[in-house]
Amino acid sequence: MSVIAVNPRFSPGRLMITRNAKDTLPRVEINAAINRHLHGDWGDVDESDRSATTVLLPTDY
C-alpha cells in the first residue's frame, strides 16, 4: 500500500498497517487519515496535545 501526500509537513518513514485494519477499512479512508496526519491534522485533540505534537516536528517542516 502506498500513499502519496503533496507537501506533507514531515516524512513519515515506513508506514505499516495491520492485516485486520487493511481488510476492514476502505482504502480511501486509510489514505485520507494518513494524508490528514501528514498535513498536521492530528484529529480531535486538545490544544496541549496539538502543541506538543507540532513542537516535535523538525524545524524545516
Side-chain angles (χ1 to χ4, degrees), residues 1 8 12 14 25 28-29 33 36 40 49 51-52 56-57 59-60:
M1 170 181 273
R14 186 172 181 192
L25 299 169
V28 67
E29 287 185 25
R36 283 193 311 270
D49 287 339
S51 295
L56 295 174
L57 291 175
T59 55
D60 57 339

Side-chain angles (χ1 to χ4, degrees), residues 9-56:
R9 292 185 70 178
F10 61 95
S11 174
R14 186 172 181 192
L15 299 174
M16 305 296 287
I17 186 169
T18 65
R19 181 174 305 280
N20 188 45
K22 184 178 177 191
D23 292 344
T24 304
L25 299 169
R27 187 179 192 122
V28 67
E29 287 185 25
I30 296 167
N31 289 345
I34 293 169
N35 256 320
R36 283 193 311 270
H37 187 77
L38 292 176
H39 287 91
D41 179 352
W42 315 128
D44 190 17
V45 297
D46 64 31
E47 189 55 39
S48 172
D49 287 339
R50 181 178 309 278
S51 295
T53 301
T54 303
V55 166
L56 295 174

